[in-house]
Amino acid sequence: MAKVVCVLYDDPVTGYPPKYARDDCPQPAIYPDGQTLPTPKGIDFKPGELLGCVSGELGLRKYLESNGHKLVVTSSKDGAGSVLDRELPDADIVISQPFWPAYMTAERIAKAKNLKMIVTAGIGSDHTDLQAAMERNVTVAEVTYCNSHAVAEHVMMSILALVRNYLPSNDWVKRGGWNIADCVSRSYDLEAMNVGTVAAGRIGLRVLRLLHPFGTKLHYMDRYRLPEAVEKELNLTHHTSLESLAKVCDVVTLNCPLHPETENMINEKSLKWFKRGAYLVNTARGKLCDRDAIVRALESGQLAGYAGDVWFPQPAPNDHPWRTMPHHGMTPHISGTSLSAQARYAAGTREILECFFENRPIRDEYLIVQGGKLAGVGAHSYSKGNATGGSAEAAQFKREKIKA
Ligand code: NDP
């Protein structure tokens, strides 16, 4: 029997939904590179249900309990006396989503003497100290591709919202106004702009493909070049440094994983490379950016706008300056947890668990760490080390401060 601790975000303040806005939840048949969607032996949920919150339980309870395992589900993950800390000492598996991450620091990994696997129900395992996982021989797995396109859609929405000044214009209407000049004095066309992505992996390449029909000039910066045919098809300019990309782009979007090599890549110095009035969209990880340098760049006008959905830590403290800085289009971390994406990563988590319990290999594309080293997709996209420093600040968030 194994003990599985699953850390999930809170239910809606209005309670677990009795019904949904739509009756179905269309899914792609296959991912563009030929990777199949998750293939568990079964699922115990209906795609389109809210699975990522505590009552949704990622649809795992029936499967785990009918196989004799114990499932503990909680949203309590930070600060002294959290349920996660209480349950860790005899936990075999910890599951969480990047939206509401269980920060698996070296201290927590050391405390969890039975720990064998940490699963990211989603993509991005930077909330786990990968170095500590390697040293303790704990497997780390995530559900590669499950929400890459969902995030790319959020990137497109954020770019358009910033460039066209959508959110402030919507506010004028809600306040009873008809203030066209106020709205359009910061509104431009995306067409003809230079747009660049830092990283052209699954999300970055999808963003480039979605941008292509807008008549934008497209740029990317990645350690590896895309195939020549793709560069030609999308008329891409490859850059070997952030400096060269930032200097020519009107819009920059960050789509690389957070690891020691990429942490803080957008800082006081690198922001000076950007064109005055550039827009920055970050749906990758909050820690790619120096928090206060972003605020100063928006206040000075060096950046015309900043949007995305990733913060550090998560949840962001109630007084996090990105909540109130000018010209932002931030949301809580939601881009990869649409109901559509939840169905895929809940099924992917089930597939990983089935493989683990049945001693079958976990797909290479889901592996980040195995056998004491970076493995599978992790060996390609991550570097050794730890990016969880400072995560304890997440305990400062207080849900009860906010009214429904
Ligand atoms: P992929 O692994 O497909 O792509 C990551 C890309 O980043 C790879 O092409 C990799 O290049 C590149 N990369 C890594 N390090 C660097 C670097 N130092 N400089 C430039 N490029 C680099 O992952 P996805 O596209 O699916 O996801 C990317 C990230 O987005 C995730 O790691 C996660 O942090 C975030 N994400 C956010 C979500 C959200 O809900 N907001 C949901 C899903 C993901 P290489 O070829 O060299 O490995």
Side-chain angles (χ1 to χ4, degrees):
M1 188 207 86
K3 175 171 163 185
V4 180
V5 178
C6 193
V7 175
L8 300 174
Y9 46 78
D10 287 305
D11 284 5
V13 286
T14 46
Y16 192 73
K19 64 176 189 158
Y20 293 87
R22 294 177 42 84
D23 296 326
D24 66 353
C25 184
Q27 295 289 340
I30 195 160
Y31 299 119
D33 65 356
Q35 183 185 316
T36 54
L37 269 69
T39 49
K41 289 181 176 168
I43 52 169
D44 298 309
F45 59 84
K46 188 166 166 270
E49 288 173 353
L50 181 57
L51 301 166
C53 67
V54 171
S55 295
E57 301 182 321
L58 291 178
L60 291 174
R61 185 168 297 281
K62 189 170 163 206
Y63 162 69
L64 286 170
E65 289 185 347
S66 63
N67 282 283
H69 305 300
K70 181 175 177 193
L71 174 66
V72 176
V73 181
T74 181
S75 65
S76 164
K77 68 182 186 77
D78 301 301
S82 72
V83 173
L84 171 62
D85 279 313
R86 198 180 69 212
E87 298 290 344
L88 266 182
D90 60 345
D92 296 277
I93 297 173
V94 172
I95 303 171
S96 77
Q97 307 159 105
F99 325 105
W100 188 260
Y103 289 107
M104 292 303 288
T105 57
E107 298 71 46
R108 278 182 164 160
I109 290 175
K111 211 165 115 183
K113 300 280 182 231
N114 286 354
L115 191 63
K116 295 165 192 72
M117 184 163 73
I118 301 171
V119 181
T120 303
I123 303 173
S125 296
D126 48 276
H127 56 276
T128 290
D129 182 333
L130 298 181
Q131 191 65 39
M134 286 187 259
E135 284 161 18
R136 261 285 312 282
N137 198 15
V138 171
T139 295
V140 180
E142 61 183 49
V143 191
T144 301
Y145 232 143
C146 63
N147 54 14
S148 302
H149 287 187
V151 176
E153 290 182 9
H154 198 99
V155 173
M156 290 303 300
M157 175 183 78
S158 303
I159 292 175
L160 287 166
L162 291 181
V163 172
R164 302 206 55 90
N165 206 32
Y166 169 61
L167 292 169
S169 307
N170 183 246
D171 277 347
W172 275 113
V173 173
K174 288 180 186 157
R175 280 148 57 200
W178 192 258
N179 300 45
I180 295 173
D182 290 285
C183 298
V184 300
S185 56
R186 292 186 70 89
S187 173
Y188 296 86
D189 293 349
L190 181 59
E191 185 178 21
M193 282 192 172
N194 282 276
V195 185
T197 172
V198 173
R202 293 170 182 81
I203 297 174
L205 179 57
R206 177 71 166 182
V207 168
L208 291 168
R209 286 196 184 285
L210 296 176
L211 281 166
H212 189 240
F214 279 83
T216 46
K217 295 169 206 143
L218 298 175
H219 302 256
Y220 78 102
M221 191 273 262
D222 203 309
R223 301 182 293 189
Y224 298 96
R225 291 286 286 260
L226 288 165
E228 209 182 320
V230 176
E231 286 194 352
K232 266 204 185 123
E233 178 200 340
L234 302 174
N235 196 16
L236 302 178
T237 304
H238 176 251
H239 296 259
T240 52
S241 71
L242 173 62
E243 181 172 4
S244 128
L245 177 104
K247 278 185 168 158
V248 297
C249 284
D250 304 286
V251 182
V252 173
T253 157
L254 307 181
N255 296 299
C256 60
L258 169 66
H259 52 102
E261 253 175 57
T262 58
E263 186 167 346
N264 228 23
M265 69 193 306
I266 307 295
N267 52 42
E268 200 76 50
K269 181 175 163 215
S270 58
L271 279 163
K272 293 203 174 83
W273 301 330
F274 284 64
K275 290 172 71 171
R276 191 189 78 83
Y279 304 92
L280 182 58
V281 170
N282 177 14
T283 52
R285 284 299 177 260
K287 254 194 174 184
L288 296 174
C289 298
D290 174 332
R291 184 190 75 172
D292 297 332
I294 294 293
V295 177
R296 283 193 293 273
L298 287 165
E299 285 170 352
S300 72
Q302 175 62 6
L303 288 179
Y306 181 93
D309 66 335
V310 285
W311 309 65
F312 187 82
Q314 291 189 176
N318 307 72
D319 61 354
H320 192 294
W322 287 6
R323 292 182 187 271
T324 48
M325 63 190 179
H327 312 303
H328 82 76
M330 294 298 294
T331 63
H333 193 167
I334 55 165
S335 60
T337 184
S338 57
L339 294 176
S340 322
Q342 288 175 43
R344 294 188 294 275
Y345 67 70
T349 303
R350 166 93 176 245
E351 179 186 327
I352 290 168
L353 292 173
E354 287 177 1
C355 290
F356 177 85
F357 289 126
E358 294 166 22
N359 281 318
R360 289 187 285 120
I362 295 168
R363 297 184 196 204
D364 238 23
E365 59 251 38
Y366 290 171
L367 283 176
I368 304 299
V369 169
Q370 196 174 50
K373 50 184 197 307
L374 291 172
V377 95
H380 188 74
S381 293
Y382 286 84
S383 60
K384 289 180 183 174
N386 167 35
T388 64
S391 53
E393 211 195 319
Q396 290 175 19
F397 173 76
K398 297 277 173 288
R399 197 180 197 226
E400 58 269 27
K401 276 195 176 173
I402 307 151
K403 294 199 173 63

